[in-house]
Amino acid sequence: TVTQTRTSSNLEWVDIYVSVYPLSERPAVLKFLEQHRTIFQAKMNGALHIRRTPKIRFHTDETLANAEELFPV
């Protein structure tokens, strides 16, 4: 699940934060996203009509991991 996005002020980067559960699937999901980043980038380039389209960077949202440590399931 995409939980947050942040775009740099100069539109060079967009940081996309994803939440993955179960946590054990996190590496596989991040690998998939990185392997397909060019597809996501192309879709974004086609949808946005601006001079500079930000480059995508994926990050994990640690909120779930932190919550699981506090409240084990």
Side-chain angles (χ1 to χ4, degrees):
T1 304
V2 173
T3 58
Q4 184 176 10
T5 61
R6 293 182 185 167
T7 306
S8 64
S9 59
N10 63 357
L11 297 179
E12 187 172 348
W13 299 100
V14 61
D15 293 306
I16 300 175
Y17 293 83
V18 294
S19 178
V20 180
Y21 193 81
L23 297 176
S24 61
E25 295 295 319
R26 184 184 298 170
V29 170
L30 283 177
K31 183 178 179 181
F32 175 86
L33 291 172
E34 285 299 326
Q35 287 175 338
H36 294 85
R37 184 165 29 109
T38 56
I39 296 170
F40 300 127
Q41 188 75 54
K43 293 277 189 184
M44 187 171 67
N45 293 350
L48 297 176
H49 303 286
I50 57 178
R51 180 182 292 176
R52 172 183 265 175
T53 304
K55 296 179 187 106
I56 297 173
R57 296 188 294 198
F58 290 105
H59 307 276
T60 56
D61 183 340
E62 300 297 326
T63 305
L64 262 180
N66 295 339
E68 192 170 81
E69 287 178 17
L70 293 173
F71 305 103
V73 178

